[in-house]
Amino acid sequence: MTSKILIVDDDEEIRKVTGIYLENEGFEILKAENGYEALKIIKESGVDLVLLDIMMPGIDGIEVCMKIRENNLMPIIFLSAKAEDLDKIHGLTSGADDYITKPFNAMELIARVKSQLRRYTRYSNTQSISKNIMEIGNLTINIDTRLVYVGGKEVRLTPKEFDILELLARNKGIVFSIEKIYERVWGEEFYKSDNTVMVHITKIREKLEEDPKHPMYIKTIWGVGYKI
């Protein structure tokens, strides 16, 4: 079955050229010139992958990405002229699966699109897989096997580290206090002087993050707690 790809960009030429590249590979192409139109198409037509610009009028790509993620699991690839590392981190932590900077190489774009579609198809083959494998950017969490991967490479977590990560991942966007994390994971009453959760969060970041001091996945909400 032909995969359906939505190209979202306020630049008509980008939409046109990108569409030609992908149509030549046999994909069905839909196009949107802004975020509102993109969300409408996704709701009414459904798509298998979204190519999404960041800097658009009205509603930017980051917000569009987060709105898509409220109800959809299809791959999202940012196509953006913003090339700084912080821009890429922001894009990936908002729910995107990949980030390509403009101007881009056509062959690289096609390769990344096919790669994301393969992953999405594999993980969506059965209902149980979609429920038990969570993907957040380059982070993959397999609940059944309790294995964690970053960029396809296995990362070994202790049982409690995995439990903390699973708790936050299952409740993405929700802030958990240190007390709540401790009580949910350890099943015991929390004592204010206990820094067990903070130590475990530090260890998880050291294993998952390229730069633990500027984490992409587990965010600190100062004075409140942690969230993914």
Side-chain angles (χ1 to χ4, degrees):
M1 187 172 67
T2 303
S3 295
K4 191 182 299 184
I5 298 176
L6 173 62
I7 303 169
V8 189
D9 201 303
D10 61 335
D11 187 322
E12 183 179 0
E13 186 65 20
I14 292 289
R15 296 197 305 271
K16 178 180 177 182
V17 172
T18 305
I20 291 172
Y21 291 151
L22 295 170
E23 283 176 336
N24 287 340
E25 294 295 317
F27 296 112
E28 179 181 346
I29 303 302
L30 300 173
K31 300 174 184 178
E33 63 181 26
N34 58 62
Y36 297 111
E37 185 180 354
L39 294 171
K40 185 173 184 290
I41 289 172
I42 290 170
K43 183 177 180 179
E44 295 179 352
S45 303
V47 298
D48 298 299
L49 182 143
V50 181
L51 293 173
L52 182 60
D53 187 26
I54 289 182
M55 295 183 291
M56 296 185 293
I59 176 174
D60 68 20
I62 297 293
E63 188 172 351
V64 173
C65 180
M66 291 190 291
K67 285 185 178 295
I68 292 172
R69 279 291 174 253
E70 290 176 2
N71 299 298
N72 300 276
L73 295 174
M74 84 284 282
I76 299 172
I77 301 177
F78 275 124
L79 291 180
S80 177
K82 303 179 75 171
E84 296 296 325
D85 287 342
L86 285 177
D87 295 319
K88 295 178 182 179
I89 291 170
H90 191 197
L92 293 171
T93 54
S94 71
D97 299 280
D98 204 349
Y99 193 111
I100 303 175
T101 55
K102 301 175 184 177
F104 53 84
N105 178 279
M107 296 307 295
E108 179 186 4
L109 171 67
I110 292 165
R112 293 204 192 187
V113 165
K114 289 182 177 179
S115 175
Q116 290 297 334
L117 285 171
R118 281 195 300 269
R119 291 176 62 194
Y120 179 59
T121 301
R122 185 167 67 248
Y123 292 146
S124 300
N125 277 338
T126 67
Q127 188 176 8
S128 61
I129 288 178
S130 65
K131 285 183 177 179
N132 295 316
I133 293 181
M134 293 182 285
E135 291 192 329
I136 303 167
N138 286 330
L139 173 65
T140 302
I141 306 167
N142 189 315
I143 304 302
D144 290 334
T145 63
R146 293 178 67 85
L147 295 177
V148 176
Y149 301 87
V150 176
K153 295 181 180 179
E154 184 180 347
V155 175
R156 295 186 178 275
L157 300 183
T158 67
K160 283 293 187 284
E161 289 168 356
F162 184 90
D163 290 343
I164 292 171
L165 182 63
E166 180 185 354
L167 173 65
L168 296 177
R170 283 189 182 277
N171 298 276
K172 186 179 177 184
I174 298 174
V175 181
F176 280 80
S177 67
I178 291 174
E179 177 181 359
K180 288 294 184 185
I181 293 173
Y182 188 88
E183 291 176 350
R184 292 281 291 272
V185 172
W186 275 265
E188 302 172 359
E189 185 179 353
F190 176 77
Y191 296 95
K192 289 186 177 179
S193 60
D194 195 325
N195 67 350
T196 300
V197 171
M198 294 172 62
V199 171
H200 278 72
I201 294 288
T202 298
K203 293 292 186 182
I204 295 170
R205 284 172 169 167
E206 289 174 352
K207 294 177 180 181
L208 300 185
E209 307 285 356
E210 288 187 15
D211 183 0
K213 292 183 179 179
H214 299 90
M216 292 172 56
Y217 301 112
I218 299 180
K219 299 288 189 178
T220 300
I221 308 301
W222 295 108
V224 183
Y226 300 97
K227 73 170 184 176
I228 284 184

